[in-house]
Amino acid sequence: PGDEQEWTDVLTLILKAGVMGFIIVAAIFGNLLVIVSVMRHRKLRVITNYFVVSLALADMLVAMVAMTFNASVQLTGRWMFGYFMCDVWNSLDVYFSTASILHLCCISVDRYYAIVKPLKYPINMTKRVVAFMLLNTWVFPAIIAFVPIFLGWYTTDENKLFRLQNPHVCEFKVNKVYVIVSSSISFWIPCTIMVFTYLAIFKEANRQEKQIHSRIGNAMLMNQHREYNNSNGDVLSSSGGSSKTLTLHEVQHGDLHSTPTK
C-alpha cells in the first residue's frame, strides 16, 4: 500500500507538472505569435494593434515570471527562493496583472472612439496619445506594485514577523488600505470604464444595425416600385404605344363617331 501511494503521488505530480507546463508554454508562444504577426505584416500595424501587442507582451511576462514561480510552489509545496525573491515575485505578479487590465481598458476606450465617435477618432487617437497611454499602462502599475511591497506598506506587522520566521513560505497577505487602493486601481476603476464604453458601443451597434435594416427595406420597396412601373410600361408597349398615344387614338376615334352626317 505504501508503494502504491508513492506511485500515485508521483503520477499526480507528473500530471500536474505537465498541465502547468503546457499552460505556461501555450501562453508564452500564443502571445509571442501575436507580437510576431503584427511585426511581420504591415497591414496589421494599426493603432488598435499597438495596444494588442503591448497586452500580449504583458500576458507573456505573466506566464514567464508569475506562473513559473507559482508552478514551483504548487509542485514542491514550499517557497525555495528566499525572502527577497518572494517580494520580487509578488511585485511582478501585481505589476503585470495590473498592466494587463489597464491595457484592456485602453482597448475599450480606443474602440469607443472608433465606433461611437468615428469623426473624432483620428483627432483624439494619434500616435502621440497612444504612446502616452501605453506609457501609463506600464509606469503606473509599477508605482502600486514595487513601492508598497518593497517598503512593506502592503501587509501587516504580524505577517512581516511570520515571513522572517518562515522564509520557506511566500504568501501575499495585504492590509485593508492596500486592498482598497490596489483593487480600485487594478480592477474596479478599469472595470467601470470598460462597462460604460462597451455599453455605449453596444447601443451604437444596435442603432447602426437598425439603420442598415431600414435602408435595406427602403431599397427593396424602391426595387419593387421600379419593377411595377416597368411591368406597366411593358403592358402599354404591347398595347400599341404609350399612354399618350392611346389617349390621342381614343380622342380621334371619338371624334370620328361624333361627326354629324349631312
Side-chain angles (χ1 to χ4, degrees):
D3 294 338
E4 292 180 358
Q5 183 64 34
E6 184 177 353
W7 275 106
T8 302
D9 294 339
V10 171
L11 291 176
T12 303
L13 184 64
I14 294 173
L15 180 62
K16 185 185 293 186
V19 172
M20 290 184 176
F22 174 77
I23 294 174
I24 293 172
V25 172
I28 292 173
F29 280 97
N31 289 289
L32 185 62
L33 182 63
V34 173
I35 297 172
V36 173
S37 299
V38 176
M39 291 177 62
R40 288 180 60 87
H41 296 85
R42 186 178 298 273
K43 293 182 179 180
L44 296 177
R45 298 175 193 172
V46 295
I47 289 179
T48 303
N49 286 341
Y50 294 162
F51 294 109
V52 174
V53 169
S54 188
L55 173 62
L57 178 61
D59 291 340
M60 186 173 66
L61 291 175
V62 169
M64 294 174 63
V65 179
M67 295 175 68
T68 51
F69 281 115
N70 183 57
S72 68
V73 174
Q74 295 296 326
L75 295 176
T76 60
R78 61 191 302 270
W79 178 254
M80 303 180 297
F81 305 101
Y83 187 94
F84 176 76
M85 287 303 299
C86 179
D87 285 340
V88 172
W89 177 41
N90 289 329
S91 299
L92 292 176
D93 192 8
V94 174
Y95 176 60
F96 292 131
S97 300
T98 305
S100 179
I101 295 173
L102 291 181
H103 277 91
L104 294 175
C105 182
C106 290
I107 291 174
S108 70
V109 174
D110 175 78
R111 293 296 85 201
Y112 170 80
Y113 277 101
I115 297 174
V116 180
K117 299 181 179 181
L119 297 179
K120 294 183 179 180
Y121 182 77
I123 301 174
N124 294 331
M125 284 295 171
T126 61
K127 290 185 178 181
R128 181 176 297 180
V129 173
V130 172
F132 179 76
M133 293 173 66
L134 290 175
L135 182 64
N136 284 331
T137 58
W138 286 103
V139 173
F140 197 68
I143 299 175
I144 65 171
F146 294 103
V147 176
I149 291 177
F150 279 100
L151 293 180
W153 297 345
Y154 77 101
T155 189
T156 60
D157 294 333
E158 293 79 6
N159 188 51
K160 292 179 183 177
L161 181 61
F162 176 81
R163 288 185 60 197
L164 291 173
Q165 296 174 352
N166 301 274
H168 60 279
V169 178
C170 183
E171 295 179 351
F172 191 60
K173 293 183 178 181
V174 297
N175 54 37
K176 293 181 180 180
V177 176
Y178 186 78
V179 166
I180 296 173
V181 175
S182 178
S183 62
S184 298
I185 297 174
S186 302
F187 180 76
W188 293 111
I189 295 176
C191 182
T192 303
I193 294 174
M194 284 189 285
V195 167
F196 281 104
T197 52
Y198 282 120
L199 182 62
I201 291 171
F202 178 75
K203 291 181 179 179
E204 180 64 19
N206 281 338
R207 188 184 69 83
Q208 293 183 8
E209 183 181 7
K210 291 179 181 179
Q211 288 183 350
I212 292 172
H213 285 302
S214 177
R215 291 173 182 175
I216 293 175
N218 292 333
M220 292 178 64
L221 289 175
M222 291 179 64
N223 289 332
Q224 291 178 359
H225 183 68
R226 289 173 182 173
E227 291 176 358
Y228 178 76
N229 290 335
N230 291 334
S231 63
N232 287 340
D234 293 339
V235 172
L236 292 174
S237 298
S238 64
S239 300
S242 63
S243 57
K244 185 183 294 184
T245 305
L246 287 175
T247 304
L248 183 60
H249 177 72
E250 291 175 356
V251 170
Q252 293 175 351
H253 185 70
D255 291 340
L256 290 174
H257 283 282
S258 59
T259 303
T261 58
K262 295 183 180 179

